[in-house]
C-alpha cells in the first residue's frame, strides 16, 4: 500500500489555517507518560504536535511523507524532522516513551503502522491516536456546513474519510489499558477565517484539481450572510484513544 499524500500541494494554506489541539488533551495524555526521554510524532505535518511535545521530552522525532509540510514546521533544538512513511521508519527497536498520531491514522496502512509502533516503542510506552470531526457553529450554520461536507465536496473525499465519521471505531488498536476520551476544540473565527479553513480540506483540494475552480466560493456568500461580521465560537469534536505497550 503506497503512502497517500493529500497535503503537499497546499502546505502554505495548511500552515496558516489548520487548527491545533487543546491543552486539556495534552494534559490528559501526558498524565499516562512517566518516562519522557523520547517521543515520536508520526504524520507531524507542520509540527503542531511535535512543538508541544518538545516542551516535555528531551528528544522528539517528527516524521511525515511530505517534505513540503515539513519545510513549514517550527524548529526546536530537540525536534528532528524527517521524511519517512509511518509504516517503515529508521528508528531502532524499543526507542520511544510516547508515540502520537493526530488526524492522520486513516491515511495509513494501519496494521503495518501498529507493527512498527510495537517495534520502536519501549515496554510500557504510551500510544495516542486522535481525530476531530466536522465543525459545529450554531443551528443556523450547521446545516450549510453539513451540506457542503456531504454533498458539494462529499464525492471528492478519499474513502478513508469514513473512519473520521466513525470516530476510528473500526480501526484496530492492539494495545493494553485502552482509554478513550472526548474533547472539544474551540476557536473564535470570522466567516472568512472559517472559509479559509475549509480550503485546507483534502476534498476541497481534490475538487479544485479536477474542476479548476474553488467549491468554497459556492458556499461563501450564503454562509457569510448568515454568519455576519462578528466572530463565532467554532467547535470541533475530538476523540482520543490511548493505549500502553
Amino acid at each position: 500500500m503506497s503512502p497517500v499524500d493529500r497535503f503537499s500541494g497546499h502546505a502554505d494554506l495548511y500552515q496558516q489555517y489548520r487548527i491545533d489541539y487543546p491543552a486539556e488533551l495534552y494534559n490528559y495524555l501526558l498524565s499516562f507518560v512517566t518516562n519522557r526521554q523520547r517521543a515520536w510524532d508520526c504524520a507531524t505535518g507542520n509540527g503542531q504536535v511535535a512543538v508541544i511535545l518538545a516542551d516535555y521530552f528531551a528528544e522528539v522525532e517528527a516524521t511525515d511523507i511530505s517534505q513540503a509540510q515539513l519545510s513549514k514546521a517550527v524548529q526546536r533544538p530537540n525536534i528532528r524532522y524527517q521524511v519517512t512513511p509511518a509504516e517503515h521508519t529508521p528508528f531502532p527497536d524499543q526507542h520511544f516513551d510516547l508515540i502520537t498520531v493526530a488526524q492522520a491514522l486513516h491515511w495509513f496502512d494501519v496494521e503495518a503502522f501498529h507493527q512498527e509502533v510495537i517495534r520502536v516503542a519501549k515496554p510500557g510506552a504510551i500510544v495516542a491516536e486522535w481525530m476531530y470531526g466536522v465543525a459545529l457553529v450554531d443551528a443556523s450554520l450547521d446545516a450549510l456546513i453539513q451540506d457542503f461536507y456531504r454533498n458539494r465536496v462529499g464525492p471528492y473525499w478519499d474513502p478513508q474519510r469514513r473512519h473520521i465519521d466513525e470516530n476510528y471505531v473500526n480501526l484496530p488498536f492492539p494495545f493494553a489499558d485502552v482509554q478513550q476520551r472526548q474533547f472539544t476544540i474551540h476557536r473564535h473565527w470570522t466567516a472568512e477565517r472559517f472559509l479559509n479553513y475549509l480550503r485546507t480540506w483534502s476534498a476541497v483540494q481534490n475538487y479544485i484539481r479536477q474542476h479548476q475552480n474553488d467549491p468554497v466560493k459556492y458556499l461563501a456568500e450564503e454562509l457569510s450572510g448568515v454568519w455576519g461580521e462578528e466572530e463565532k465560537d467554532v467547535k470541533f469534536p475530538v476523540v482520543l484513544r490511548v493505549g500502553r505497550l
Side-chain angles (χ1 to χ4, degrees):
M1 180 178 177
S2 299
V4 178
D5 180 2
R6 290 288 183 264
F7 302 98
S8 287
H10 60 292
D12 286 330
L13 196 68
Y14 194 99
Q15 180 193 40
Q16 207 172 350
Y17 295 114
R18 203 67 165 187
I19 61 174
D20 52 11
Y21 305 103
E24 293 82 2
L25 183 151
Y26 292 108
N27 291 338
Y28 178 76
L29 169 58
L30 290 167
S31 71
F32 294 97
V33 185
T34 53
N35 297 313
R36 298 185 181 180
Q37 180 61 31
R38 297 189 195 93
W40 170 27
D41 182 41
C42 184
T44 195
N46 54 37
Q48 290 174 325
V49 175
V51 167
I52 302 299
L53 297 181
D55 290 336
Y56 298 94
F57 288 81
E59 302 172 20
V60 177
E61 297 283 357
T63 64
D64 204 279
I65 61 170
S66 171
Q67 181 59 56
Q69 285 279 356
L70 295 180
S71 70
K72 306 297 181 184
V74 177
Q75 302 298 309
R76 293 285 186 273
N78 60 333
I79 302 177
R80 181 170 66 167
Y81 294 102
Q82 57 183 313
V83 175
T84 189
E87 301 86 354
H88 304 285
T89 70
F91 305 128
D93 295 353
Q94 298 187 4
H95 193 60
F96 293 107
D97 303 295
L98 172 67
I99 297 170
T100 59
V101 53
Q103 197 69 359
L105 182 72
H106 51 291
W107 297 114
F108 299 172
D109 179 335
V110 176
E111 291 187 2
F113 169 65
H114 285 154
Q115 286 302 308
E116 185 70 349
V117 166
I118 291 166
R119 183 184 72 79
V120 302
K122 295 177 183 177
I126 297 299
V127 182
E129 301 171 349
W130 66 92
M131 48 70 57
Y132 63 87
V134 179
L136 300 168
V137 184
D138 60 35
S140 63
L141 288 161
D142 290 348
L144 288 175
I145 296 166
Q146 282 291 326
D147 181 67
F148 180 78
Y149 172 70
R150 298 193 180 281
N151 298 319
R152 173 66 70 175
V153 300
Y156 300 88
W157 289 109
D158 289 270
Q160 299 95 317
R161 176 71 194 190
R162 73 182 187 279
H163 294 300
I164 295 289
D165 293 331
E166 297 165 355
N167 293 334
Y168 283 179
V169 296
N170 292 312
L171 292 179
F173 194 61
F175 304 105
D177 304 327
V178 173
Q179 304 290 322
Q180 182 167 302
R181 187 160 175 179
Q182 297 185 358
F183 299 88
T184 302
I185 301 168
H186 291 270
R187 293 291 177 267
H188 290 91
W189 285 351
T190 62
E192 181 182 9
R193 176 66 177 79
F194 181 76
L195 291 166
N196 279 319
Y197 158 74
L198 295 182
R199 292 184 170 100
T200 71
W201 284 4
S202 61
V204 169
Q205 294 300 315
N206 285 339
Y207 185 107
I208 291 170
R209 280 190 290 272
Q210 290 189 40
H211 298 285
Q212 302 303 305
N213 62 49
D214 178 6
V216 175
K217 71 183 181 183
Y218 300 110
L219 174 67
E221 184 175 352
E222 186 176 7
L223 182 138
S224 297
V226 177
W227 194 296
E229 297 296 324
E230 75 277 11
E231 292 185 345
K232 289 186 176 291
D233 181 25
V234 182
K235 300 168 284 291
F236 295 87
V238 182
V239 175
L240 166 71
R241 58 186 189 181
V242 179
R244 188 182 301 276
L245 268 292

